[in-house]
Amino acid sequence: MSKKLVAYFSASGVTAGVAKTLAEAAGADLYEIRPETPYTDADLNWMDQNSRSSVEMKDPDSRPAIAGDIPDVRDYDVIFLGFPIWWYTAPTIIKTFLESGDFAGKTIFLFATSGSSGLGHIAKDLQPVCPGAVIRDGKLLNGRQTRDGLAKWVESLGV
Ligand SMILES: Cc1cc2nc3c(=O)[nH]c(=O)nc-3n(C[C@H](O)[C@H](O)[C@H](O)COP(=O)(O)O)c2cc1C
């Protein structure tokens, strides 16, 4: 069986919930991408164009630092990478994560939660930061996700 990692960032807990269920369903290790400086409510205010998240998302070079050790992705065959959708794409800390290790030859399935936006062009947005990886659209996991439902989804991927 392939060795799987569920890596996720979650600013307010929603993605964290589905990531845990997905890791159980997939028999995967679980890793939280934790920002060195946690996001406050003010940081997350998308109505304020000067808030931290607004400033980061407008800056293509933004790479917020990750706290602690990052697992060696070479130990895994498949990585499920999850995050909240911010401004129709992935938070820039996801780029920090993808640049932190050697993803060459790895298959990455994206998953996300959002107010309503889908994964859209996110795989395309992330590909340049890990050119050797195969990034596949996974699933938008809004709403209640059961372990059985997610296990069926993982099974359908054939990984
Ligand atoms: C800065 C910011 C930008 C957001 N942009 C979008 C967006 O473009 N589309 C959308 O549907 N939801 C958007 N949301 C809502 C989040 O994607 C949604 O609440 C998500 O489930 C939060 O996940 P978390 O609790 O794991 O952080 C945004 C939230 C924040 C804080």
Side-chain angles (χ1 to χ4, degrees), residues 9-16 43-46 53-54 57 83-89 113-118 142:
F9 164 66
S10 180
S12 55
V14 180
T15 312
D43 290 340
L44 298 173
N45 183 1
W46 64 83
S53 59
S54 298
M57 296 306 286
F83 45 83
I85 293 176
W86 284 4
W87 294 106
Y88 307 101
T89 192
T113 69
S114 73
S116 63
S117 300
N142 284 343

Side-chain angles (χ1 to χ4, degrees), residues 2 4 13 23 27 37 42 45 67 70 78 91 95 99 105 112 128-129 148 159:
S2 63
K4 303 182 189 72
T37 309
N45 183 1
I70 301 176
V78 174
K95 292 183 180 169
E99 286 175 350
V129 296
D148 281 359
V159 291

Side-chain angles (χ1 to χ4, degrees), residues 71-143:
D72 190 339
V73 290
R74 287 175 302 185
D75 294 345
Y76 297 93
D77 306 298
V78 174
I79 295 122
F80 292 89
L81 179 57
F83 45 83
I85 293 176
W86 284 4
W87 294 106
Y88 307 101
T89 192
T92 54
I93 196 167
I94 295 300
K95 292 183 180 169
T96 314
F97 175 72
L98 289 171
E99 286 175 350
S100 73
D102 182 5
F103 285 86
K106 303 296 173 190
T107 300
I108 301 172
F109 289 97
L110 304 180
F111 67 97
T113 69
S114 73
S116 63
S117 300
L119 287 166
H121 47 70
I122 300 180
K124 221 167 127 191
D125 297 344
L126 295 176
Q127 190 71 67
V129 296
C130 52
V134 179
I135 303 186
R136 293 179 52 183
D137 271 340
K139 220 175 168 48
L140 187 67
L141 297 177
N142 284 343

Side-chain angles (χ1 to χ4, degrees), residues 20-40:
K20 279 174 200 141
T21 310
L22 178 59
E24 284 171 23
D29 292 344
L30 183 65
Y31 166 65
E32 179 180 4
I33 300 167
R34 267 190 315 114
E36 211 164 81
T37 309
Y39 289 84
T40 63

